[in-house]
Amino acid sequence: MNMQNTTAIPSYLSIESLGPWATYLTQIERVTPYLDKALLPWVETLIRPKRALIVDVPIRLDNGVIAHYEGYRVQHNLSRGPGKGGIRFHPEVTLSEVMALSAWMTIKNAVVNVPYGGAKGGIRVDPKKLSMPELERLTRRYASEINILIGPDRDIPAPDINTNEQVMAWIMDTFSMNQGRTATGVVTGKPVTLGGSLGRHDATGRGVFICTVEAARRIGLSIPGARVAVQGFGNVGEAAARLFADAGAKVVAIQDETGSIFNPNGFDVRRVHRHRIETGQLAGVPDAEAIDAEHFWACDVDILVAAALENQITEHNAPAIRARILAEGANGPTTPEADLILQDNKVLVVPDVLANAGGVTVSYFEWVQDISAFFWTEEEINSRLDRIMRDAFAAVWDAAQNKGILLRTAAFVLGCERVLMARKLRGLYP
Ligand code: GLU
């Protein structure tokens, strides 16, 4: 984003603290020339979050000390429906990051055409340092603090980094206790016994896999035998790796926050996962060679899945990437500078707002099932997910071909135009 245009920077952030929001601003700047001219008067709506709540989350630790954590919930845009997006517990969460993540949710929800706006939340905390009872108190207090924003028809949280089904169950319960009724539809990603959806656990990784298969088909890359590297071995990376291996690809490199491992013959992904759970690290997996981070990015692979955090692929490591397809399982893993390098090197980037939209798509199915109190089979869920992901991929691919633009730009055109059209039709109040 042209930083001369200081009106683009909200007063509560400085240029230095823009963080991932700067990436998002640049993405909007890059897409703007391709948007329908009739929508341009509304485009500034995309760089102004509708509302942002910062909350203090005090809890009593097990040792009796009172600790304070900073929490956020940002509703970036509600033009197409209630807010929707996950909650992240991470020691480096910032307002700028949550703003960017909420904005990517707005675009993502529009790309797969689920009837939601975009929102995101987070707490600046290292949950691994908390006991289970402390984590429960933290979650319940945070849920109470953001209670003024959330609700099944207002804003529906879901899991994100370091939050899971149990955390969603606590949020659902806290909200329900305050309401005096059980409101399952207030969060998605819940345990199946509490109105969660079959297929939700794997949904994001499955969406990454489906999009990559679609991309591979179009560039003549066969999945059986393809070599795959996966960064991030959490909910998204593990499921994607498993699905690639099941489809006959060779997952030759895996990296997470504990290290990087390599096996030219391909890993048994389920075995790696068991080892990771039992030992808490990747090191020590049988037949694995430990490699350094630099080597990981330079691995000779066909497909690279980035399923960790933002800003992982930068101008420093992008030149080393040899994959033909980079699938963004994480939100915002590639910086705008790296995007240009990957473009020059003919690496096909399947952007986050498309590639990882499978999670929120099945969240939408969960919410529909909760509201209608009628639950679907896993086959129904997976086949509907497959259809939505493949249709969205085709729409983005065709737009990119027709206009001669990158998949990221094409996905943003599709998403932004849907949001701006809704905004325009609703008009300005009062
Ligand atoms: N946290 C996930 C994402 O970034 C899922 C959000 C949701 O299901 O609402 O897309």
Side-chain angles (χ1 to χ4, degrees):
M1 170 65 59
N2 175 7
M3 295 305 172
Q4 303 306 313
N5 177 11
T6 46
T7 58
I9 300 170
S11 65
Y12 42 86
L13 295 182
S14 65
I15 289 188
E16 298 75 44
S17 69
L18 279 182
W21 184 249
T23 299
Y24 172 72
L25 291 181
T26 304
Q27 291 168 344
I28 293 299
E29 191 176 64
R30 285 187 186 165
V31 74
T32 302
Y34 300 99
L35 295 176
D36 179 347
K37 299 284 170 284
L39 298 172
L40 289 184
W42 295 95
V43 86
E44 195 172 336
T45 213
L46 296 170
I47 60 166
R48 297 200 175 268
K50 181 175 178 65
R51 43 177 91 100
L53 179 66
I54 304 177
V55 295
D56 174 35
V57 189
I59 60 160
R60 199 178 298 281
L61 299 176
D62 294 342
N63 64 9
V65 171
I66 296 170
H68 291 256
Y69 299 91
E70 196 167 292
Y72 313 91
R73 183 75 186 171
V74 178
Q75 293 177 341
H76 172 261
N77 188 284
L78 304 181
S79 294
R80 301 180 62 257
K84 183 90 194 78
I87 288 172
R88 171 175 298 198
F89 291 173
H90 194 273
E92 273 142 44
V93 165
T94 59
L95 176 61
S96 149
E97 181 188 34
V98 178
M99 282 166 57
L101 292 165
S102 70
W104 287 322
M105 287 309 306
T106 299
I107 312 283
K108 185 189 307 186
N109 292 335
V111 168
V112 283
N113 215 0
V114 291
Y116 293 132
K120 199 86 175 195
I123 307 181
R124 192 171 171 83
V125 61
D126 184 353
K128 296 186 177 95
K129 295 202 174 123
L130 298 182
S131 68
M132 268 299 243
E134 288 168 340
L135 193 63
E136 177 170 356
R137 290 197 288 277
L138 180 84
T139 303
R140 288 187 182 276
R141 182 60 192 249
Y142 170 74
S144 304
E145 295 298 337
I146 65 165
N147 190 52
I148 53 174
L149 291 187
I150 63 175
D153 53 3
R154 296 160 66 89
D155 182 357
I156 306 113
D160 198 78
I161 291 170
N162 292 333
T163 56
N164 56 20
E165 291 186 354
Q166 178 61 76
V167 171
M168 295 308 117
W170 289 328
I171 296 176
M172 189 278 264
D173 182 68
T174 305
F175 182 84
S176 297
M177 296 314 286
N178 283 307
Q179 294 272 314
R181 69 187 173 99
T182 294
T184 52
V186 66
V187 287
T188 59
K190 297 178 296 295
V192 171
T193 40
L194 286 179
S197 179
L198 296 169
R200 177 64 185 85
H201 182 272
D202 279 2
T204 311
R206 186 175 293 277
V208 171
F209 172 72
I210 296 167
C211 282
T212 310
V213 169
E214 291 301 300
R217 193 160 59 77
R218 285 168 172 85
I219 63 166
L221 174 68
S222 142
I223 296 291
R227 287 152 309 163
V228 181
V230 180
Q231 190 211 20
F233 203 58
N235 175 254
V236 182
E238 185 274 326
R242 176 165 31 86
L243 291 164
F244 277 113
D246 288 350
K250 282 198 270 187
V251 178
V252 297
I254 303 177
Q255 179 184 88
D256 75 359
E257 73 271 27
T258 69
S260 310
I261 54 174
F262 179 74
N263 177 346
N265 302 318
F267 286 109
D268 175 339
V269 175
R270 287 177 180 81
R271 198 161 154 202
V272 177
H273 189 217
R274 271 199 306 277
H275 173 92
R276 179 71 179 78
I277 290 170
E278 282 161 16
T279 67
Q281 56 179 21
L282 286 179
V285 167
D287 304 325
E289 180 193 336
I291 55 172
D292 56 28
E294 233 166 274
H295 186 166
F296 173 83
W297 295 112
C299 273
D300 184 14
V301 292
D302 303 297
I303 296 164
L304 172 62
V305 178
L309 284 166
E310 306 88 72
N311 288 342
Q312 297 300 297
I313 300 168
T314 66
E315 73 262 45
H316 303 297
N317 58 359
I321 291 175
R322 293 150 80 185
R324 292 179 67 191
I325 298 175
L326 164 61
E328 296 186 330
N331 293 304
T334 310
T335 65
E337 298 76 32
D339 254 341
L340 301 178
I341 296 167
L342 296 169
Q343 178 179 20
D344 283 349
N345 293 347
K346 310 252 174 316
V347 180
L348 180 65
V349 179
V350 187
D352 48 8
V353 292
L354 171 65
N356 72 35
V360 75
T361 300
V362 176
S363 276
Y364 166 60
F365 298 161
E366 179 173 334
W367 180 76
V368 169
Q369 291 171 85
D370 289 339
I371 286 175
S372 59
F374 179 74
F375 290 85
W376 312 349
T377 65
E378 191 157 2
E379 291 70 43
E380 264 175 291
I381 285 154
N382 286 343
S383 84
R384 284 182 200 251
L385 171 65
D386 194 67
R387 163 64 68 84
I388 289 183
M389 295 307 298
R390 285 197 289 127
D391 285 354
F393 186 93
V396 170
W397 179 270
D398 293 347
Q401 295 295 111
N402 293 340
K403 297 192 169 89
I405 54 179
L406 296 178
L407 291 183
R408 187 183 315 282
T409 313
F412 268 66
V413 171
L414 184 68
C416 293
E417 286 189 348
R418 282 188 178 143
V419 174
L420 295 175
M421 183 58 85
R423 187 75 194 80
K424 181 171 186 263
L425 287 168
R426 286 179 65 160
L428 205 55
Y429 170 88

